[in-house]
Coordinates of all heavy atoms in Angstrom, one line a residue:
L334 N -42.1 10.2 -6.6 CA -41.6 9.9 -8.0 C -41.2 11.2 -8.7 O -40.2 11.3 -9.3 CB -42.6 9.1 -8.7 CG -42.2 8.6 -10.1 CD1 -40.9 7.7 -9.9 CD2 -43.3 7.8 -10.7
A335 N -42.1 12.2 -8.5 CA -41.8 13.5 -9.2 C -40.5 14.2 -8.6 O -39.7 14.8 -9.4 CB -43.0 14.5 -9.0
R336 N -40.3 14.0 -7.3 CA -39.1 14.6 -6.7 C -37.9 13.9 -7.2 O -36.9 14.5 -7.5 CB -39.2 14.4 -5.2 CG -38.1 15.0 -4.4 CD -38.3 14.9 -3.0 NE -37.0 14.9 -2.3 CZ -36.8 14.7 -1.1 NH1 -37.8 14.3 -0.3 NH2 -35.6 14.7 -0.5
R337 N -37.9 12.6 -7.3 CA -36.8 11.8 -7.9 C -36.5 12.2 -9.3 O -35.4 12.4 -9.7 CB -37.1 10.3 -7.8 CG -36.0 9.5 -8.4 CD -36.3 8.0 -8.3 NE -36.1 7.6 -6.9 CZ -36.4 6.4 -6.5 NH1 -36.9 5.5 -7.3 NH2 -36.1 6.0 -5.3
W338 N -37.6 12.5 -10.1 CA -37.4 12.9 -11.5 C -36.7 14.2 -11.5 O -35.8 14.4 -12.3 CB -38.8 12.9 -12.1 CG -38.8 13.2 -13.6 CD1 -38.7 12.3 -14.6 CD2 -38.9 14.5 -14.2 NE1 -38.7 13.0 -15.8 CE2 -38.8 14.3 -15.6 CE3 -39.0 15.8 -13.7 CZ2 -38.9 15.4 -16.5 CZ3 -39.1 16.9 -14.6 CH2 -39.0 16.6 -16.0
R339 N -37.2 15.2 -10.7 CA -36.6 16.5 -10.7 C -35.1 16.5 -10.2 O -34.3 17.1 -10.8 CB -37.3 17.4 -9.7 CG -38.6 18.0 -10.3 CD -39.2 19.1 -9.4 NE -38.5 19.6 -8.3 CZ -38.8 19.4 -7.0 NH1 -39.8 18.7 -6.7 NH2 -38.0 19.9 -6.1
F340 N -34.9 15.6 -9.2 CA -33.5 15.5 -8.7 C -32.6 15.0 -9.8 O -31.5 15.5 -10.0 CB -33.5 14.5 -7.5 CG -32.1 14.3 -7.0 CD1 -31.5 15.1 -6.1 CD2 -31.4 13.1 -7.4 CE1 -30.2 14.9 -5.6 CE2 -30.1 12.9 -6.9 CZ -29.5 13.8 -6.0
G341 N -33.0 14.0 -10.5 CA -32.2 13.4 -11.6 C -32.0 14.3 -12.8 O -31.0 14.1 -13.5
R342 N -32.8 15.3 -13.0 CA -32.6 16.2 -14.1 C -32.1 17.6 -13.6 O -32.0 18.5 -14.4 CB -34.0 16.4 -14.8 CG -34.2 15.2 -15.7 CD -35.6 14.8 -15.9 NE -35.8 13.6 -16.7 CZ -35.7 12.4 -16.2 NH1 -35.4 12.2 -14.9 NH2 -35.9 11.3 -16.9
D343 N -31.9 17.7 -12.3 CA -31.3 19.0 -11.8 C -29.9 19.2 -12.4 O -29.0 18.4 -12.2 CB -31.2 18.9 -10.3 CG -31.0 20.2 -9.6 OD1 -30.1 21.0 -10.1 OD2 -31.6 20.5 -8.6
M344 N -29.8 20.3 -13.1 CA -28.5 20.6 -13.8 C -27.4 20.8 -12.8 O -26.2 20.7 -13.2 CB -28.7 21.9 -14.7 CG -29.7 21.6 -15.8 SD -29.2 20.2 -16.8 CE -27.7 20.8 -17.6
R345 N -27.6 21.0 -11.6 CA -26.5 21.1 -10.6 C -25.9 19.8 -10.4 O -24.8 19.7 -9.9 CB -27.0 21.7 -9.3 CG -27.4 23.2 -9.5 CD -28.1 23.7 -8.3 NE -29.4 23.0 -8.1 CZ -30.3 23.4 -7.2 NH1 -30.1 24.4 -6.5 NH2 -31.4 22.7 -7.1
N346 N -26.6 18.7 -10.7 CA -26.1 17.3 -10.6 C -25.5 16.8 -11.9 O -25.0 15.7 -12.0 CB -27.2 16.4 -10.2 CG -27.6 16.5 -8.8 OD1 -26.8 16.8 -8.0 ND2 -28.9 16.4 -8.6
R347 N -25.6 17.6 -13.0 CA -25.2 17.1 -14.3 C -24.0 17.9 -14.8 O -24.2 18.9 -15.4 CB -26.4 17.2 -15.2 CG -27.6 16.4 -14.7 CD -28.8 16.6 -15.5 NE -28.8 16.0 -16.8 CZ -29.1 14.7 -17.0 NH1 -29.4 13.9 -16.0 NH2 -29.1 14.2 -18.2
L348 N -22.8 17.4 -14.5 CA -21.6 18.1 -15.0 C -20.8 17.1 -15.9 O -20.7 15.9 -15.6 CB -20.7 18.4 -13.8 CG -21.3 19.4 -12.8 CD1 -20.4 19.5 -11.6 CD2 -21.5 20.8 -13.4
A349 N -20.2 17.7 -16.9 CA -19.2 16.9 -17.7 C -17.9 16.8 -16.9 O -17.3 17.8 -16.6 CB -19.0 17.6 -19.0
V350 N -17.6 15.6 -16.6 CA -16.4 15.3 -15.8 C -15.6 14.2 -16.5 O -16.1 13.4 -17.2 CB -16.6 15.0 -14.3 CG1 -17.3 16.2 -13.7 CG2 -17.5 13.8 -14.2
D351 N -14.3 14.1 -16.1 CA -13.5 13.0 -16.5 C -14.0 11.7 -16.0 O -14.5 11.6 -14.8 CB -12.1 13.2 -16.0 CG -11.1 12.1 -16.3 OD1 -10.7 12.0 -17.5 OD2 -10.8 11.3 -15.4
G352 N -14.1 10.7 -16.8 CA -14.6 9.4 -16.4 C -14.0 8.8 -15.2 O -14.6 8.2 -14.3
D353 N -12.6 8.9 -15.1 CA -11.9 8.3 -14.0 C -12.3 9.1 -12.7 O -12.5 8.4 -11.6 CB -10.4 8.4 -14.2 CG -9.9 7.4 -15.2 OD1 -10.6 6.5 -15.5 OD2 -8.8 7.7 -15.8
A354 N -12.4 10.4 -12.8 CA -12.8 11.2 -11.6 C -14.2 10.8 -11.1 O -14.5 10.6 -9.9 CB -12.7 12.7 -11.9
N355 N -15.1 10.6 -12.1 CA -16.5 10.3 -11.7 C -16.5 8.9 -11.1 O -17.2 8.6 -10.1 CB -17.3 10.3 -13.0 CG -18.8 10.2 -12.7 OD1 -19.3 10.8 -11.8 ND2 -19.5 9.3 -13.4
G356 N -15.7 8.0 -11.6 CA -15.6 6.6 -11.0 C -15.0 6.6 -9.6 O -15.5 5.9 -8.7
D357 N -14.0 7.5 -9.4 CA -13.4 7.6 -8.1 C -14.3 8.1 -7.1 O -14.4 7.7 -5.9 CB -12.2 8.5 -8.2 CG -11.0 7.9 -8.9 OD1 -11.0 6.7 -9.2 OD2 -10.1 8.7 -9.2
K358 N -15.2 9.1 -7.5 CA -16.1 9.7 -6.6 C -17.2 8.7 -6.2 O -17.6 8.6 -5.0 CB -16.7 11.0 -7.1 CG -17.6 11.7 -6.2 CD -18.7 12.4 -6.9 CE -19.7 12.9 -5.9 NZ -20.6 11.9 -5.3
G359 N -17.8 8.1 -7.2 CA -18.9 7.2 -6.9 C -20.0 8.0 -6.2 O -20.4 9.0 -6.6
S360 N -20.5 7.4 -5.1 CA -21.5 8.1 -4.3 C -21.0 8.7 -3.1 O -21.7 9.0 -2.1 CB -22.7 7.1 -4.0 OG -22.1 6.1 -3.2
A361 N -19.7 8.9 -3.0 CA -19.0 9.4 -1.8 C -19.4 10.9 -1.6 O -19.6 11.7 -2.5 CB -17.5 9.3 -1.9
S362 N -19.6 11.2 -0.3 CA -19.9 12.6 0.1 C -18.6 13.4 0.2 O -17.5 12.9 0.0 CB -20.6 12.6 1.4 OG -19.6 12.3 2.5
A363 N -18.7 14.7 0.4 CA -17.5 15.6 0.6 C -16.6 15.1 1.7 O -15.5 15.5 1.7 CB -18.0 17.0 0.8
A364 N -17.1 14.4 2.6 CA -16.3 13.9 3.7 C -15.3 12.8 3.2 O -14.2 12.7 3.9 CB -17.2 13.2 4.8
Y365 N -15.6 12.2 2.1 CA -14.7 11.2 1.6 C -14.1 11.4 0.3 O -13.2 10.7 -0.2 CB -15.5 9.8 1.6 CG -16.0 9.5 3.0 CD1 -17.3 9.7 3.3 CD2 -15.2 9.0 4.0 CE1 -17.8 9.5 4.5 CE2 -15.7 8.8 5.2 CZ -17.0 9.0 5.5 OH -17.5 8.7 6.8
W366 N -14.6 12.4 -0.5 CA -14.1 12.7 -1.8 C -14.3 14.2 -2.1 O -15.4 14.7 -1.9 CB -14.7 11.9 -2.8 CG -14.1 12.0 -4.2 CD1 -13.1 11.3 -4.7 CD2 -14.4 13.0 -5.2 NE1 -12.8 11.7 -6.0 CE2 -13.6 12.8 -6.3 CE3 -15.3 14.1 -5.3 CZ2 -13.6 13.6 -7.4 CZ3 -15.3 14.9 -6.4 CH2 -14.5 14.6 -7.5
L367 N -13.2 14.8 -2.6 CA -13.3 16.2 -3.1 C -12.5 16.2 -4.4 O -11.6 15.4 -4.6 CB -12.7 17.2 -2.1 CG -13.5 17.5 -0.9 CD1 -12.6 18.2 0.1 CD2 -14.8 18.2 -1.2
P368 N -12.8 17.1 -5.3 CA -12.1 17.2 -6.6 C -10.6 17.3 -6.3 O -10.2 18.0 -5.4 CB -12.6 18.4 -7.3 CG -14.0 18.6 -6.7 CD -13.9 18.1 -5.3
E369 N -9.8 16.6 -7.1 CA -8.3 16.6 -6.9 C -7.8 18.0 -7.2 O -6.9 18.5 -6.5 CB -7.7 15.7 -7.9 CG -6.2 15.4 -7.7 CD -5.7 14.3 -8.6 OE1 -6.3 13.2 -8.6 OE2 -4.7 14.6 -9.3
N370 N -8.4 18.7 -8.2 CA -8.0 20.1 -8.5 C -8.7 21.0 -7.5 O -9.9 21.2 -7.5 CB -8.4 20.4 -9.9 CG -7.9 21.8 -10.3 OD1 -7.7 22.7 -9.5 ND2 -7.7 21.9 -11.6
S371 N -8.0 21.6 -6.6 CA -8.6 22.4 -5.5 C -9.3 23.6 -6.0 O -10.2 24.2 -5.3 CB -7.5 22.8 -4.5 OG -6.5 23.6 -5.1
R372 N -9.1 24.1 -7.2 CA -9.8 25.2 -7.8 C -11.3 24.9 -8.0 O -12.1 25.8 -8.1 CB -9.2 25.6 -9.1 CG -7.8 26.2 -9.0 CD -7.2 26.6 -10.3 NE -7.2 25.5 -11.2 CZ -6.8 25.5 -12.4 NH1 -6.3 26.6 -12.9 NH2 -6.8 24.4 -13.2
F373 N -11.7 23.6 -8.1 CA -13.0 23.3 -8.3 C -13.8 22.9 -7.0 O -15.0 22.7 -7.0 CB -13.1 22.1 -9.2 CG -12.6 22.3 -10.6 CD1 -11.5 21.7 -11.1 CD2 -13.2 23.3 -11.4 CE1 -11.0 21.9 -12.3 CE2 -12.7 23.6 -12.7 CZ -11.6 22.9 -13.1
R374 N -13.1 22.9 -5.9 CA -13.7 22.5 -4.7 C -14.8 23.4 -4.1 O -15.8 22.9 -3.7 CB -12.7 22.2 -3.6 CG -11.8 21.0 -3.9 CD -10.8 20.8 -2.8 NE -10.0 19.7 -3.2 CZ -8.8 19.3 -2.7 NH1 -8.4 20.0 -1.6 NH2 -8.2 18.3 -3.1
C375 N -14.6 24.7 -4.2 CA -15.6 25.6 -3.7 C -16.9 25.5 -4.5 O -18.0 25.4 -3.9 CB -15.1 27.1 -3.9 SG -13.8 27.5 -2.8
D376 N -16.9 25.4 -5.8 CA -18.0 25.2 -6.6 C -18.7 23.9 -6.4 O -19.9 23.8 -6.3 CB -17.7 25.4 -8.1 CG -18.9 25.3 -9.0 OD1 -19.8 26.1 -8.9 OD2 -19.0 24.3 -9.8
Y377 N -17.9 22.8 -6.2 CA -18.4 21.5 -6.0 C -19.2 21.4 -4.7 O -20.3 20.9 -4.6 CB -17.2 20.5 -5.9 CG -17.6 19.1 -5.6 CD1 -18.1 18.3 -6.5 CD2 -17.3 18.6 -4.3 CE1 -18.5 17.0 -6.2 CE2 -17.7 17.3 -4.0 CZ -18.3 16.5 -4.9 OH -18.6 15.2 -4.6
V378 N -18.6 22.0 -3.6 CA -19.3 22.0 -2.3 C -20.5 22.9 -2.4 O -21.6 22.5 -1.8 CB -18.3 22.4 -1.2 CG1 -19.1 22.7 0.1 CG2 -17.3 21.3 -1.0
A379 N -20.5 24.0 -3.0 CA -21.6 24.9 -3.1 C -22.8 24.2 -3.9 O -23.9 24.3 -3.5 CB -21.3 26.2 -3.9
R380 N -22.4 23.4 -4.9 CA -23.5 22.7 -5.6 C -24.1 21.6 -4.7 O -25.3 21.4 -4.7 CB -22.9 22.0 -6.9 CG -22.6 22.9 -8.0 CD -21.8 22.1 -9.1 NE -21.6 23.0 -10.2 CZ -22.5 23.1 -11.2 NH1 -23.6 22.5 -11.2 NH2 -22.2 23.9 -12.2
Q381 N -23.3 20.9 -4.0 CA -23.8 19.9 -3.1 C -24.8 20.5 -2.0 O -25.8 20.0 -1.8 CB -22.7 19.2 -2.3 CG -22.1 18.1 -3.1 CD -21.3 17.2 -2.1 OE1 -21.1 17.4 -1.0 NE2 -20.8 16.1 -2.7
I382 N -24.4 21.7 -1.5 CA -25.2 22.3 -0.5 C -26.5 22.8 -1.1 O -27.6 22.6 -0.5 CB -24.5 23.5 0.2 CG1 -23.3 23.0 1.0 CG2 -25.4 24.4 1.0 CD1 -22.3 24.0 1.5
A383 N -26.5 23.4 -2.3 CA -27.7 23.8 -3.0 C -28.6 22.6 -3.2 O -29.8 22.7 -3.0 CB -27.3 24.5 -4.2
V384 N -28.1 21.5 -3.7 CA -28.9 20.4 -4.0 C -29.5 19.8 -2.7 O -30.7 19.4 -2.7 CB -28.1 19.3 -4.8 CG1 -28.9 18.0 -4.9 CG2 -27.8 19.9 -6.2
K385 N -28.7 19.6 -1.7 CA -29.1 19.0 -0.5 C -30.2 19.9 0.2 O -31.2 19.4 0.7 CB -28.0 18.8 0.5 CG -27.1 17.6 0.1 CD -26.0 17.4 1.0 CE -25.2 16.2 0.7 NZ -25.8 14.9 1.1
S386 N -30.1 21.2 0.0 CA -31.1 22.1 0.6 C -32.4 22.0 -0.2 O -33.5 21.9 0.4 CB -30.5 23.5 0.5 OG -31.5 24.4 0.9
E387 N -32.3 22.0 -1.5 CA -33.5 21.9 -2.4 C -34.3 20.7 -2.2 O -35.5 20.7 -2.2 CB -33.0 22.0 -3.9 CG -34.1 21.8 -4.9 CD -35.0 23.0 -5.1 OE1 -34.5 24.1 -4.8 OE2 -36.1 22.8 -5.6
Y388 N -33.6 19.5 -1.9 CA -34.3 18.3 -1.8 C -34.4 17.7 -0.4 O -34.7 16.6 -0.2 CB -33.7 17.2 -2.8 CG -33.8 17.7 -4.2 CD1 -32.7 18.3 -4.8 CD2 -35.0 17.5 -4.9 CE1 -32.8 18.8 -6.1 CE2 -35.1 18.0 -6.2 CZ -34.0 18.6 -6.8 OH -34.1 19.0 -8.1
A389 N -34.0 18.6 0.6 CA -34.1 18.2 2.0 C -33.3 17.0 2.3 O -33.8 16.1 3.0 CB -35.5 18.1 2.5
L390 N -32.1 16.9 1.7 CA -31.3 15.7 2.0 C -30.4 15.9 3.2 O -30.1 17.0 3.6 CB -30.4 15.5 0.8 CG -31.1 15.2 -0.6 CD1 -30.1 15.1 -1.7 CD2 -32.0 14.0 -0.5
T391 N -30.0 14.8 3.9 CA -29.3 14.9 5.1 C -27.8 15.2 4.8 O -27.3 15.0 3.7 CB -29.4 13.6 5.9 OG1 -28.8 12.5 5.0 CG2 -30.8 13.2 6.3
V392 N -27.2 15.7 5.9 CA -25.7 16.0 5.8 C -25.2 15.4 7.1 O -25.6 15.8 8.2 CB -25.4 17.5 5.8 CG1 -24.0 17.8 5.8 CG2 -26.1 18.1 4.5
T393 N -24.2 14.5 7.0 CA -23.6 13.9 8.2 C -22.6 14.9 8.8 O -22.2 15.9 8.2 CB -22.8 12.6 7.8 OG1 -21.7 13.0 7.0 CG2 -23.8 11.6 7.1
M394 N -22.2 14.7 10.0 CA -21.3 15.6 10.7 C -19.9 15.6 10.0 O -19.3 16.6 9.8 CB -21.1 15.2 12.2 CG -22.3 15.7 13.0 SD -22.6 17.5 12.8 CE -21.3 18.2 13.8
P395 N -19.4 14.4 9.6 CA -18.1 14.4 8.8 C -18.2 15.2 7.5 O -17.3 16.0 7.1 CB -17.8 13.0 8.6 CG -18.5 12.2 9.6 CD -19.8 13.0 9.9
E396 N -19.4 15.0 6.8 CA -19.6 15.8 5.6 C -19.7 17.3 5.9 O -19.1 18.1 5.1 CB -20.9 15.3 4.9 CG -21.2 15.9 3.6 CD -22.5 15.3 3.0 OE1 -23.3 14.7 3.7 OE2 -22.6 15.5 1.8
R397 N -20.4 17.7 6.9 CA -20.5 19.1 7.3 C -19.2 19.7 7.6 O -18.8 20.8 7.1 CB -21.4 19.2 8.5 CG -21.7 20.6 8.9 CD -22.8 20.7 10.0 NE -23.3 22.0 10.2 CZ -22.8 22.8 11.1 NH1 -21.9 22.4 12.0 NH2 -23.3 24.0 11.2
R398 N -18.3 19.0 8.3 CA -17.0 19.5 8.6 C -16.2 19.7 7.4 O -15.5 20.7 7.2 CB -16.3 18.5 9.6 CG -16.8 18.7 11.1 CD -15.8 18.0 12.0 NE -15.9 16.5 11.9 CZ -16.8 15.7 12.5 NH1 -17.6 16.3 13.4 NH2 -16.8 14.4 12.4
A399 N -16.3 18.7 6.5 CA -15.5 18.8 5.2 C -16.0 20.0 4.4 O -15.2 20.7 3.8 CB -15.6 17.5 4.4
M400 N -17.3 20.1 4.3 CA -17.8 21.3 3.5 C -17.4 22.6 4.1 O -17.0 23.5 3.4 CB -19.4 21.2 3.5 CG -19.9 20.1 2.6 SD -21.7 20.0 2.7 CE -22.1 19.0 1.3
L401 N -17.5 22.7 5.4 CA -17.1 24.0 6.1 C -15.6 24.3 5.9 O -15.2 25.4 5.7 CB -17.4 23.9 7.6 CG -18.9 24.1 7.9 CD1 -19.1 23.8 9.4 CD2 -19.5 25.4 7.5
G402 N -14.8 23.2 5.9 CA -13.4 23.4 5.7 C -13.1 23.9 4.3 O -12.3 24.8 4.1
V403 N -13.8 23.5 3.3 CA -13.7 24.0 1.9 C -14.2 25.4 1.9 O -13.5 26.3 1.3 CB -14.4 23.1 0.9 CG1 -14.5 23.7 -0.4 CG2 -13.8 21.7 0.8
L404 N -15.4 25.7 2.4 CA -16.0 27.0 2.3 C -15.2 28.1 3.0 O -15.2 29.2 2.6 CB -17.4 27.0 2.8 CG -18.4 26.2 1.9 CD1 -19.8 26.2 2.6 CD2 -18.4 26.7 0.5
R405 N -14.4 27.7 4.0 CA -13.5 28.7 4.6 C -12.5 29.3 3.7 O -12.1 30.5 3.8 CB -12.8 28.1 5.8 CG -13.6 27.9 7.0 CD -12.8 27.5 8.2 NE -13.7 27.1 9.3 CZ -14.0 25.8 9.6 NH1 -13.4 24.8 9.0 NH2 -14.9 25.5 10.5
S406 N -12.2 28.6 2.6 CA -11.2 29.1 1.6 C -11.9 29.9 0.5 O -11.2 30.4 -0.4 CB -10.4 28.0 1.0 OG -11.2 27.1 0.2
C407 N -13.2 30.0 0.5 CA -13.9 30.7 -0.5 C -15.1 31.4 0.1 O -16.3 31.1 -0.2 CB -14.3 29.8 -1.7 SG -15.0 28.2 -1.1
P408 N -14.9 32.4 0.9 CA -16.0 33.1 1.6 C -17.1 33.8 0.7 O -18.2 33.9 1.1 CB -15.3 34.1 2.5 CG -14.0 34.3 1.9 CD -13.6 33.0 1.2
G409 N -16.7 34.1 -0.5 CA -17.6 34.8 -1.4 C -18.4 33.8 -2.3 O -19.2 34.3 -3.2
Q410 N -18.3 32.5 -2.1 CA -18.9 31.5 -2.9 C -20.4 31.6 -2.8 O -20.9 31.6 -1.7 CB -18.4 30.1 -2.6 CG -19.1 29.0 -3.4 CD -18.6 29.0 -4.8 OE1 -17.4 29.1 -5.0 NE2 -19.5 28.9 -5.7
S411 N -21.1 31.7 -3.9 CA -22.6 31.7 -3.8 C -23.1 30.3 -4.2 O -22.4 29.5 -4.9 CB -23.2 32.7 -4.7 OG -22.8 32.5 -6.1
L412 N -24.3 30.0 -3.8 CA -24.9 28.7 -4.2 C -25.5 28.8 -5.6 O -26.2 29.8 -5.9 CB -26.0 28.3 -3.2 CG -25.6 28.1 -1.8 CD1 -26.8 27.7 -1.0 CD2 -24.5 27.1 -1.7
P413 N -25.2 27.9 -6.5 CA -25.8 27.9 -7.8 C -27.3 27.7 -7.8 O -27.8 27.0 -7.0 CB -25.1 26.8 -8.6 CG -24.7 25.8 -7.5 CD -24.4 26.7 -6.3
R414 N -28.0 28.4 -8.7 CA -29.4 28.2 -8.9 C -29.6 27.2 -10.0 O -28.8 27.1 -10.9 CB -30.1 29.5 -9.2 CG -30.0 30.4 -8.0 CD -30.6 31.8 -8.4 NE -30.4 32.7 -7.4 CZ -31.3 33.1 -6.5 NH1 -32.6 32.7 -6.6 NH2 -31.0 34.0 -5.6
Q415 N -30.8 26.5 -10.0 CA -31.1 25.5 -11.0 C -31.4 26.2 -12.3 O -31.8 27.2 -12.5 CB -32.2 24.7 -10.6 CG -32.5 23.5 -11.5 CD -33.6 22.6 -10.9 OE1 -34.3 23.0 -10.0 NE2 -33.7 21.4 -11.4

């Protein structure tokens, strides 16, 4: 329960976004949805990796491939801290 509480309040998960974009994304992983604006993709993927690492969440092979594909275009991207 404490882990779920921390996850829900993790600022890396709390971004102000357009309602339509948020609805389009739903619970889809990077394998199935990336921000339409490619300038936000590096940060988006870095946030996902940081959160998944922090909470020991799984990454599917399609998701991993998608994330690596994005990160190839931003080699200097760092993972955000909470």
Side-chain angles (χ1 to χ4, degrees):
L334 189 58
R336 181 177 159 192
R337 179 181 281 175
W338 186 87
R339 281 191 9 249
F340 178 83
R342 282 151 185 80
D343 191 317
M344 293 307 290
R345 293 170 294 191
N346 286 326
R347 301 171 74 83
L348 297 172
V350 296
D351 176 75
D353 290 340
N355 192 44
D357 289 345
K358 184 209 172 291
S360 62
S362 73
Y365 303 101
W366 187 91
L367 289 168
E369 191 172 310
N370 186 332
S371 61
R372 294 181 302 182
F373 297 117
R374 290 181 184 169
C375 292
D376 183 62
Y377 175 77
V378 167
R380 284 173 178 273
Q381 275 198 356
I382 292 169
V384 169
K385 285 178 177 279
S386 176
E387 175 77 22
Y388 299 98
L390 302 175
T391 60
V392 177
T393 65
M394 283 307 282
E396 184 179 15
R397 184 173 192 263
R398 282 193 292 270
M400 289 175 163
L401 287 172
V403 168
L404 292 178
R405 283 189 190 102
S406 68
C407 46
Q410 179 71 45
S411 61
L412 298 182
R414 297 178 186 251
Q415 190 173 11

